[in-house]
Amino acid sequence: MPYDSIRPGQIWLDTEGKRIQAHAASVFYEDGTFFWYGENKERTSPGNGILHWGMRCYSSWDLYNWKDEGLMIPPDLENGLSPLHPSAKAERPHVLKNQRTGKYVCWLKVIGKDGSQTETVLTADRFMGPYTLVKSGLRPLSMNAGDFDLVQAEDGKGYYFF
């Protein structure tokens, strides 16, 4: 059944009737489509050591009904030290499109087991990826970032706020 309104406090289901998995989310708009993306917690439960299962994305034209587009950034199951490994606390994905290169740039906050906070940057040729890890372990101004956001000015210049 399609939605015709936003219903605060109720579980939001995608167009297949499954619970939306886009935690600590952001919304990106391009060419008439909204993309809602965030941490995929479908395999996370207390004590299982899985803090995320990649970053999942949904698309919509009306902001009510969301189609599951799948994992835009899958977990890295091979490298236990990767910021994309399910045991890493990767959160708060933010994506901008670099107008000069045409690439999509994603920043993720990663909290280490020692509580340190760093940023990881990935790029892709398409919004849905595949994304390639460009840099990890970034500490802007040599500080823990905590909550952050990316903003893009009309001239295309991107800004990182924390």
Side-chain angles (χ1 to χ4, degrees), residues 47-119:
N48 75 353
I50 297 174
L51 301 176
H52 69 86
W53 198 259
M55 304 299 145
R56 184 168 291 284
C57 184
Y58 299 82
S59 65
S60 176
W61 295 270
D62 63 8
L63 294 173
Y64 300 133
N65 300 285
W66 294 91
K67 177 185 175 196
D68 184 356
E69 298 290 349
L71 294 176
M72 63 187 284
I73 301 173
D76 180 348
L77 303 177
E78 304 298 318
N79 180 357
L81 299 176
S82 169
L84 300 176
H85 189 272
S87 66
K89 193 168 185 180
E91 27 177 71
R92 305 192 190 298
H94 295 285
V95 177
L96 294 176
K97 185 173 184 181
N98 184 320
Q99 293 177 0
R100 186 176 51 81
T101 66
K103 288 194 176 283
Y104 295 87
V105 182
C106 177
W107 284 60
L108 297 170
K109 178 174 87 170
V110 180
I111 300 175
K113 293 180 185 356
D114 63 355
S116 64
Q117 298 173 14
T118 62
E119 302 296 322

Side-chain angles (χ1 to χ4, degrees), residues 102-156:
K103 288 194 176 283
Y104 295 87
V105 182
C106 177
W107 284 60
L108 297 170
K109 178 174 87 170
V110 180
I111 300 175
K113 293 180 185 356
D114 63 355
S116 64
Q117 298 173 14
T118 62
E119 302 296 322
T120 293
V121 179
L122 305 103
T123 61
D125 293 325
R126 298 178 333 114
F127 182 79
M128 282 302 300
Y131 281 82
T132 302
L133 194 140
V134 174
K135 183 87 172 166
S136 62
L138 290 171
R139 293 189 74 231
L141 302 176
S142 299
M143 298 172 65
N144 284 345
D147 289 338
F148 78 98
D149 204 350
L150 298 179
V151 177
Q152 194 164 25
E154 287 184 23
D155 66 1

